[in-house]
């Protein structure tokens, strides 16, 4: 019975359906994300100086951990609901191509709408949020590559 309960909780966490963290837990999760983003920006200047050093063996930073992904999806859903911009969102739910970590930003990437930008945690100056269809990506501005992808950041339900 314990394994069944653990499996259900794991499924809820990985799908982003669970929303039962306290404000203190949410703040701790967001602080961890910001710490990891700051660490990336201070430790990965080699991407800026030697972009040709990128390869399949280059480790991707772990920014969108499962708890961070869940909180980000909640923040995005709440921001869309609060300003009623869900109807203006034009993600198709079926991407033409997927954003890939350590790859250039696709040409169809869009800027984050201001209500969403205000809802998301601040980033170091070297990083920026973008959308590629329904996926939220973090882009290293200087190196010109995607450093993290949050798949389905804007749920299909928010698009209807």
């Amino acid at each position: 019975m314990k394994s069944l309960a653990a499996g259900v909780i794991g499924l809820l966490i990985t799908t982003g359906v669970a929303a039962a963290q306290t404000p203190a837990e949410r703040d701790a999760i967001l602080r961890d994300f910001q710490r990891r983003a700051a660490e990336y920006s201070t430790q990965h200047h080699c991407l800026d100086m030697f972009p040709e050093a990128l390869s399949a063996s280059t480790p991707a930073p772990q920014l969108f951990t499962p708890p961070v992904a869940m909180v980000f999806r909640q923040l995005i859903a709440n921001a869309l609901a609060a300003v009623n911009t869900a109807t203006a969102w034009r993600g198709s739910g079926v991407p033409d191509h997927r954003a890939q970590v350590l790859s250039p930003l696709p040409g169809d990437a869009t800027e984050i709408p201001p209500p969403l930008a205000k809802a998301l945690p601040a980033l170091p100056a070297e990083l920026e949020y973008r959308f590629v269809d329904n996926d939220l990506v973090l882009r290293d501005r200087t190196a010109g590559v995607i450093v993290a992808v949050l798949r389905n950041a804007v749920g299909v339900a928010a698009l209807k």
Side-chain angles (χ1 to χ4, degrees):
M1 188 65 153
K2 286 183 183 179
S3 62
L4 177 62
V8 169
I9 290 170
L11 180 62
L12 290 175
I13 289 172
T14 59
T15 60
V17 176
Q21 71 271 121
T22 66
E25 289 170 331
R26 186 193 69 195
D27 292 345
I29 290 168
L30 292 176
R31 276 193 309 274
D32 181 56
F33 167 79
Q34 289 180 303
R35 179 188 56 78
R36 288 172 184 256
E39 285 176 3
Y40 167 83
S41 67
T42 59
Q43 295 176 357
H44 288 84
H45 289 294
C46 63
L47 292 179
D48 305 341
M49 299 183 317
F50 305 106
E52 66 278 0
L54 287 176
S55 70
S57 64
T58 303
Q62 296 297 314
L63 297 173
F64 289 124
T65 62
V68 169
M70 180 173 53
V71 170
F72 264 68
R73 288 184 182 109
Q74 292 167 3
L75 293 173
I76 291 167
N78 291 341
L80 287 174
V83 295
N84 198 19
T85 58
T87 56
W89 185 258
R90 296 293 174 230
S92 67
V94 180
D96 294 330
H97 47 44
R98 293 292 225 177
Q100 298 296 319
V101 173
L102 300 178
S103 296
L105 192 67
D108 62 346
T110 59
E111 292 187 18
I112 301 296
L116 288 180
K118 290 178 185 176
L120 297 176
L123 291 172
E126 297 86 3
L127 298 175
E128 67 180 346
Y129 295 112
R130 293 291 178 148
F131 275 115
V132 176
D133 200 57
N134 295 343
D135 298 340
L136 179 68
V137 301
L138 288 181
R139 178 178 175 258
D140 183 318
R141 295 175 196 237
T142 308
V145 297
I146 295 170
V147 296
V149 179
L150 175 59
R151 300 278 182 225
N152 299 314
V154 179
V156 176
L159 301 174
K160 296 180 179 180

